[in-house]
Amino acid sequence: MLRPDWAPEDVDMDTPSPARVYDALLGGSHNFKVDRAAAAHGTSIMPDLPIGAAANRRFLRRAVTFLTEIGVTQFVDIGAGIPTVGNTHEVAQHRNPDARVVYVDIDAVAVAHATAILADNEKAAAVRGDLRTPGVLLDDISRTGLIDSSQPVGLLMVAVLHLLPDTYAPETAVATLRDAVAPGSHVVISHLTSESRAEQTAMLSSAVARRDRVSLVFRSRPQIATFFGDFQLVPPGLVEVSGWRPDAAEREIQVAGSSLYLVGVGHKH
Ligand SMILES: C[S@@+](CC[C@H](N)C(=O)[O-])C[C@H]1O[C@@H](n2cnc3c(N)ncnc32)[C@H](O)[C@@H]1O
């Protein structure tokens, strides 16, 4: 298969990557055959995966809108994914042209594509980084010069923590980031949950691990709540994705896949 011009030289086109599989689930165009096959396989086990992913994206947009409206002017979006429609910088800068955004992802395609679309945007940048090494990540974010660490930030970890198995101690990594941000900051988290469909989620997890060598960890509500630490959940709390401050359009959609994700926004006092 020929390497498309948007794919960096070192990308392995024969192994699915979570970023590209998610892009395929959203109907995006930055994925390979192997990613589309993985997305189709996952969807054969859990048919509402694509509508769950779309609902998760809409949550991200509502959360960024909410934070921008209450005065948050800088955002760090970790596990940002391959840019699609309504990315964090577009939503934030639409309401506040001065809003600054740093995207972080471990995936080369995600970072290359984000860097390309941000070429003319002085207030946003993309860096390659790994949530499993939060100290290094904080240095990388600081080097962009876009984030003032003495001021509140909107820290997004949307649909990324379930890619980190417990062996990587994601709760410790998230705690390091929570400690690093200034009082007044918010953390935005969405996470795949085993809460309502234990059997089906266990089946999907083991199929994806076996077939695609990807860890997909569906966590329980108490486990997901732990990621917020002592941050105070803003109303309505930790809820199914479509139930987080739904706008009229969200209420209209009534997403069937909503129970796949639990989401919330926590506030550091
Ligand atoms: C399912 S996508 C979510 C994208 C976006 N946040 C959203 O919700 O629409 C998860 C992203 O997390 C990235 N990711 C996975 N492990 C990571 C890690 N250890 N550090 C940083 N990013 C990671 C993947 O490359 C992928 O782009």
Side-chain angles (χ1 to χ4, degrees), residues 108-133:
V109 170
V111 177
H113 188 36
T115 302
I117 65 168
L118 296 174
D120 296 330
N121 194 325
E122 288 176 358
K123 295 183 177 130
V127 296
R128 198 162 178 191
D130 189 341
L131 187 46
R132 292 170 298 181
T133 51

Side-chain angles (χ1 to χ4, degrees), residues 32-43:
F32 305 130
K33 195 172 162 193
V34 72
D35 305 307
R36 293 189 286 280
H41 179 248
T43 305

Side-chain angles (χ1 to χ4, degrees), residues 23-103:
D23 181 66
L25 285 171
L26 288 172
S29 55
H30 290 77
N31 50 72
F32 305 130
K33 195 172 162 193
V34 72
D35 305 307
R36 293 189 286 280
H41 179 248
T43 305
S44 73
I45 297 170
M46 194 162 296
D48 51 358
L49 267 188
I51 50 173
N56 175 65
R57 279 304 298 182
R58 292 195 299 276
F59 159 67
L60 182 149
R61 289 178 210 131
R62 293 198 303 282
V64 174
T65 301
F66 166 76
L67 292 181
T68 310
E69 284 173 354
I70 63 170
V72 177
T73 59
Q74 49 180 8
F75 295 85
V76 174
D77 186 346
I78 303 177
I82 295 169
T84 168
V85 182
N87 302 294
T88 299
H89 75 283
E90 291 160 335
V91 177
Q93 292 176 351
H94 174 69
R95 284 168 183 78
N96 173 8
D98 286 330
R100 280 153 287 122
V101 178
V102 174
Y103 292 108

Side-chain angles (χ1 to χ4, degrees), residues 13 17 45 66-68 83 91 93 108-109 147-148 154 160 183 202 208 211 220 245-246 259 261 263:
M13 301 193 342
S17 90
I45 297 170
F66 166 76
L67 292 181
T68 310
V91 177
Q93 292 176 351
V109 170
I147 303 296
D148 178 351
V160 60
V208 169
R211 183 185 180 281
S220 66
R245 296 178 181 250
S259 60
Y261 291 86
V263 308

Side-chain angles (χ1 to χ4, degrees), residues 64-237:
V64 174
T65 301
F66 166 76
L67 292 181
T68 310
E69 284 173 354
I70 63 170
V72 177
T73 59
Q74 49 180 8
F75 295 85
V76 174
D77 186 346
I78 303 177
I82 295 169
T84 168
V85 182
N87 302 294
T88 299
H89 75 283
E90 291 160 335
V91 177
Q93 292 176 351
H94 174 69
R95 284 168 183 78
N96 173 8
D98 286 330
R100 280 153 287 122
V101 178
V102 174
Y103 292 108
V104 180
D105 205 285
I106 201 170
D107 185 277
V109 170
V111 177
H113 188 36
T115 302
I117 65 168
L118 296 174
D120 296 330
N121 194 325
E122 288 176 358
K123 295 183 177 130
V127 296
R128 198 162 178 191
D130 189 341
L131 187 46
R132 292 170 298 181
T133 51
V136 179
L137 195 68
L138 287 165
D139 288 343
D140 292 340
I141 293 164
S142 163
R143 261 194 295 279
T144 65
L146 288 171
I147 303 296
D148 178 351
S149 61
S150 69
Q151 294 301 312
V153 66
L155 176 63
L156 280 69
M157 286 172 280
V158 178
V160 60
L161 293 169
H162 49 239
L163 293 166
L164 270 62
D166 292 345
T167 43
Y168 289 119
E171 69 287 352
T172 308
V174 176
T176 303
L177 297 173
R178 281 198 317 265
D179 287 347
V181 296
S185 293
H186 290 78
V187 66
V188 178
I189 291 174
S190 81
H191 199 298
L192 285 174
T193 182
S194 52
E195 185 169 61
S196 62
R197 287 188 263 170
E199 208 174 307
Q200 203 184 13
T201 53
M203 202 191 300
L204 182 62
S205 256
S206 55
V208 169
R210 211 174 34 243
R211 183 185 180 281
D212 304 321
R213 307 242 174 279
V214 169
S215 299
L216 210 50
V217 192
F218 290 80
R219 292 192 168 93
S220 66
R221 180 180 290 266
Q223 287 171 321
I224 297 169
T226 304
F227 290 122
F228 292 92
D230 61 359
F231 282 27
Q232 192 173 3
L233 282 164
V234 305

